[in-house]
Amino acid sequence: MAILVYAEHDNTSVKKATLSTVAAAKQMGDDVHVLVAGSDNEAATNAAAQIEGVSRVLRADNAAYAHQMAENISLLVADIAANYSHIVAPATTTGKNFMPRVAALLDVSMLSDVTAVIDAQTFERPIYAGNATATVKTTEDKVVVTVRTTSFDAVAATGGSAEVETLDNVQDAGKASFVSEEMAKSDRPELTSAEVVVSGGRALASGENFTKYIEPLADKLGAAIGASRAAVDAGFVPNDMQVGQTGKIVAPQLYIAAGISGAIQHLAGMKDSKVIVAINNDPEAPIASVADYFLEADLFEALPELTSKI
Amino acid sequence: MKALVAVKRVIDYNVKVRVKADHSSVDLSNTKMSINPFDEIAVEEAVRLKEKGVIDEIIVASIGPKEAQEQIRTALALGADRGVLVVTEDKTQPLQVAKILKQIADQEGTEIVLLGKQAIDDDNNQTGQMLAALMGVGQGTFASEVVVEGDKVNVTREIDGGLQTVALDLPAIITTDLRLNEPRFAKLPNIMKAKKKPLDEKTPADFGVDMTSKQEIVKVVPPAERSAGVRVASVDELVDKLKNEAKVIG
Ligand SMILES: Cc1cc2nc3c(=O)[nH]c(=O)nc-3n(C[C@H](O)[C@H](O)[C@H](O)COP(=O)(O)OP(=O)(O)OC[C@H]3O[C@@H](n4cnc5c(N)ncnc54)[C@H](O)[C@@H]3O)c2cc1C
Ligand SMILES: Nc1ncnc2c1ncn2[C@@H]1O[C@H](COP(=O)(O)O)[C@@H](O)[C@H]1O
């Protein structure tokens, strides 16, 4: 049976998370189909059809799917699930939102945040904020998983030529409706797929200081900006910048943590980065245990100097 | 209207777990256990809704070992009215927990069910969504604001790109994110009072739910350790290392 991948997209293009998810799905089976559910999603559908290794794209285009409401998307996916052995989605807030509903509708258990595929029924996933890795074998005949996209190298966005099938059974649960959205606008790379991330913690002390000390360095490195929960809670930066167990998981080539102590919940979100730099005035800060380069310094002096020297 | 809050007994968030030598699981012997932090936020939100007069009774439910009584008592001390403990020695799975919670919610006729967005032991982030699907109701997951208006609830959700607000018909499921509220501390007189609040004990069998897992834990290992790094003495040395050793900047 084929594998169904749920595409993360904005109706015009598919997100990189989808490419990593296809890569994970390819390790579960050969025949990978991609579902593009949205509204006015022709462009995204066409983009999905070009993804390397995808044999079929299912297009569900209806206002009911415009905001990826979990109530509707889960009905749609459960409705076509009979044709698939595996249903796979990225562990983004969209995937986390609707996939457990799919599993419950199918009366099967699911696996969240899979970081490795051992075989079609066996997977690795982090537990306890990444302080342990569990190998889990499922005996469900329908396997429902979300995957941690930073753990899988994206397949190529082009080169494929999948056939497109249109689904016209509209599922509208009618219990929930979209009211509004406040999306952060930024010209920076997306946090979860950026090559370089510069993060600030409580020590930054204000939103202005993020602008004054973190942004110039991020600009120079073409980096995304992240933050600890303490910095988000204090209102220095918006919630979508939180890195950690309960925020975003990042694994860039270079992660710079300035004024972040390194609580286990923060480390859970960034310790798979290739190179970690910590700037902290406390030589005992726990982040030292994961940092490749630890600079004991006052960040208000070190950051401007670093910005000027690279 | 009544609210149901699900609380899970988990390892305290300050404790760093260790994997057992035989790689069968993590070692929880003599570990400090607490109420899952997100569930504490869920209890707090229910109590605030009660203080606003939106809710008149709060029921807390936990599925777990006998000792999970402690976590229910904590919730009662924070302001919940009564508890249900479904005793099982099995490690609980989201789908089974959701099946039990559905029956409790149905029996009690609760209009709002509050859960944490994830339990910090297994980091599943599934139970609330599964419960919503089983009940056939709307869900407001990762909530950072909850406003009940008549027979609807508006929930502001923390999503990857920012914030999203949805309107749900009641009954509805809400799962909490960290910024929804800051839980209060239980006062001593309330801790005393909580000891006298009703706490029902049940078993999964009372709900006809089979706790057998369809997921076998093959092994549990510690994550790959990062090799200890080096201390750099100056920004110049850092820049040099990044350029010439790590080669991550040009
Ligand atoms: C359920 C739960 C989930 C959580 N999830 C997350 C999560 O996803 N992500 C997350 O980040 N946190 C999370 N946390 C919070 C986490 O436990 C920590 O509280 C938080 O990460 C601390 O943030 P911080 O390092 O910025 O602040 P602090 O711990 O206060 O550290 C500030 C650091 O800055 C240093 N410093 C101070 N002044 C300077 C200066 N002038 N120059 C250089 N260094 C300086 C200090 O030495 C210190 O090391 C969670 C907590 C709970 C309970
Ligand atoms: N055994 C349990 N007993 C009570 N509530 C639970 C249990 N397991 C999960 N929950 C609830 O479901 C939420 C999400 O858990 P999970 O899906 O396991 O990450 C938790 O924050 C709790 O509110």
Side-chain angles (χ1 to χ4, degrees), chain A residues 8 67-71 74 91-94 96-105 107-113 122 124-140 174-185 196 221 229 232-233 239-240 242 245-248 253-254 256 264-265 270-277 279 282-285 288-296 301-303 305-306 309-310, chain B residues 11-19 26 28 38 41 91 93-95 98-99 117-142 144 152 154 157-171 173 177-179 181-182 213-236 238-239 241-243 245-250:
Chain A
E8 182 96 12
H67 300 287
Q68 311 291 318
M69 298 292 283
E71 294 79 0
S74 57
T92 55
T93 48
T94 308
K96 289 174 182 169
N97 197 33
F98 81 88
M99 285 289 270
R101 275 190 94 111
V102 172
L105 291 172
D107 196 26
V108 296
S109 60
M110 82 170 262
L111 289 111
S112 301
D113 227 4
T122 316
E124 277 181 19
R125 58 178 302 269
I127 53 176
Y128 292 89
N131 285 308
T133 305
T135 304
V136 185
K137 184 180 168 65
T138 173
T139 54
E140 303 283 8
K175 305 276 170 139
S177 54
F178 172 83
V179 177
S180 62
E181 217 161 53
E182 238 178 85
M183 299 304 261
K185 284 206 182 56
V196 183
L221 292 167
R229 174 186 170 198
V232 174
D233 273 1
N239 66 277
D240 57 281
Q242 180 181 317
Q245 178 191 17
T246 56
K248 286 189 180 143
Q253 293 294 307
L254 174 61
I256 302 179
I264 50 177
Q265 293 87 6
M270 44 64 81
K271 68 184 167 47
D272 291 331
S273 305
K274 185 157 171 277
V275 175
I276 296 174
V277 171
I279 301 172
D282 173 9
E284 305 293 321
S289 71
V290 299
D292 298 285
Y293 303 110
F294 185 90
L295 176 63
E296 180 187 338
E301 287 161 20
L303 284 177
E305 188 184 343
L306 180 59
K309 287 182 173 163
I310 55 175
Chain B
I11 185 168
D12 188 82
Y13 81 97
N14 276 313
V15 179
K16 188 166 192 272
V17 295
R18 256 178 301 273
V19 170
V26 295
L28 292 180
F38 290 98
I41 294 171
K91 192 169 126 51
Q93 299 275 322
L95 185 59
K99 286 180 178 175
K117 86 164 173 183
Q118 84 196 53
I120 60 162
D121 47 5
D122 286 339
D123 285 331
N124 279 320
N125 195 334
Q126 299 172 4
T127 309
Q129 298 88 315
M130 288 181 163
L131 175 60
L134 296 178
M135 294 180 68
V137 301
Q139 66 185 41
T141 53
F142 327 145
S144 64
K152 279 200 188 293
N154 274 12
R157 312 179 47 234
E158 296 199 353
I159 60 172
D160 284 341
L163 295 170
Q164 180 191 64
T165 304
V166 293
L168 313 172
D169 295 345
L170 293 174
I173 306 300
D177 216 317
L178 293 168
R179 278 163 289 278
N181 61 50
E182 210 170 302
S213 176
K214 295 271 184 68
Q215 294 186 5
E216 180 204 338
I217 308 292
V218 179
K219 64 176 178 196
V220 175
V221 297
E225 286 294 329
R226 293 186 76 92
S227 50
V230 295
R231 308 239 165 194
V232 289
S234 64
V235 169
D236 287 320
L238 176 61
V239 172
K241 295 274 191 201
L242 291 177
K243 276 194 177 143
E245 191 177 86
K247 299 191 168 62
V248 283
I249 60 174

Side-chain angles (χ1 to χ4, degrees), chain B residues 7-10 33-36 43 60 62 65 67-76:
Chain B
V7 304
K8 188 177 187 190
R9 174 183 170 88
V10 297
M33 302 297 281
S34 297
I35 187 167
N36 183 44
V43 173
V60 278
S62 189
E67 294 80 6
Q69 274 196 16
E70 297 163 18
Q71 281 64 47
I72 294 187
R73 293 283 174 211
T74 305
L76 296 175

Side-chain angles (χ1 to χ4, degrees), chain B residues 174-222:
Chain B
I174 293 163
T175 76
T176 61
D177 216 317
L178 293 168
R179 278 163 289 278
L180 179 57
N181 61 50
E182 210 170 302
R184 69 196 64 190
F185 290 100
K187 296 201 186 79
L188 192 59
N190 292 343
I191 295 174
M192 300 312 288
K193 263 190 243 160
K195 292 189 175 146
K196 298 210 183 66
K197 291 186 180 175
L199 200 172
D200 259 6
E201 268 193 28
K202 304 263 187 201
T203 65
D206 294 335
F207 300 95
V209 174
D210 176 4
M211 300 298 278
T212 322
S213 176
K214 295 271 184 68
Q215 294 186 5
E216 180 204 338
I217 308 292
V218 179
K219 64 176 178 196
V220 175
V221 297

Side-chain angles (χ1 to χ4, degrees), chain A residues 6 9 24 59 90 92 139 153 160 202 233 249:
Chain A
Y6 171 85
H9 66 89
R59 175 182 178 194
T92 55
T139 54
D153 288 331
R202 193 196 310 271
D233 273 1
I249 309 293

Side-chain angles (χ1 to χ4, degrees), chain A residues 160-174:
Chain A
S161 57
E163 57 176 300
V164 176
E165 181 189 332
T166 304
L167 303 178
D168 39 28
N169 58 338
V170 180
Q171 304 279 351
D172 191 345

